[in-house]
């Protein structure tokens, strides 16, 4: 099964509620989660939302958790490094 979540906008608690509905399915290994961007802006926990999205990808792998950048995200990656830039 393929699950999708979008427009999180810094609302970490709501993001965690939605993840609770699908994370057990991800543990089975044959399901996918696509995060469709817009992790930041508006809500109070933008960084935590980004951090959680990328930790899920590290935990389950890039084939199972796909993290896309939305139109609210700044340039978080450099073309050369392809890794998140560290905040100052």
């Amino acid at each position: 099964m393929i699950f999708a979540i979008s427009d999180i906008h810094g609302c970490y608690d709501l993001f965690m509620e939605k993840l609770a509905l699908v994370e057990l399915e991800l543990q089975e290994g044959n399901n996918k989660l696509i995060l469709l961007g817009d992790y930041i802006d508006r809500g109070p926990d933008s960084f935590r939302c980004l951090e959680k999205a990328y930790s899920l990808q590290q935990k389950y792998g890039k084939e199972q958790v796909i993290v896309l950048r939305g139109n609210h995200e700044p340039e978080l990656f450099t073309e050369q490094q392809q890794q998140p830039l560290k905040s100052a």
Side-chain angles (χ1 to χ4, degrees):
M1 189 170 291
I2 298 173
F3 300 93
I5 301 175
S6 68
D7 298 296
I8 298 160
H9 292 290
C11 297
Y12 183 79
D13 292 337
L14 183 59
F15 185 29
M16 295 306 294
E17 286 178 29
K18 301 302 179 193
L19 285 175
L21 299 173
V22 300
E23 195 159 8
L24 286 175
E25 301 289 335
L26 287 175
Q27 292 174 5
E28 291 180 11
N30 57 346
N31 297 306
K32 290 184 185 240
L33 172 63
I34 303 173
L35 299 173
L36 298 168
D38 292 347
Y39 312 102
I40 66 170
D41 193 28
R42 299 184 194 142
D45 293 315
S46 294
F47 180 77
R48 287 177 70 197
C49 292
L50 283 170
E51 188 175 56
K52 183 62 179 177
Y54 287 102
S55 72
L56 285 168
Q57 193 174 59
Q58 289 177 339
K59 180 177 181 179
Y60 295 106
K62 290 182 178 183
E63 295 295 319
Q64 196 171 0
V65 176
I66 300 164
V67 179
L68 302 176
R69 183 174 37 205
N71 64 312
H72 287 275
E73 278 74 56
E75 288 296 320
L76 295 175
F77 298 94
T78 65
E79 290 183 20
Q80 295 172 340
Q81 292 177 329
Q82 293 296 306
Q83 295 180 8
L85 296 175
K86 299 188 190 249
S87 59

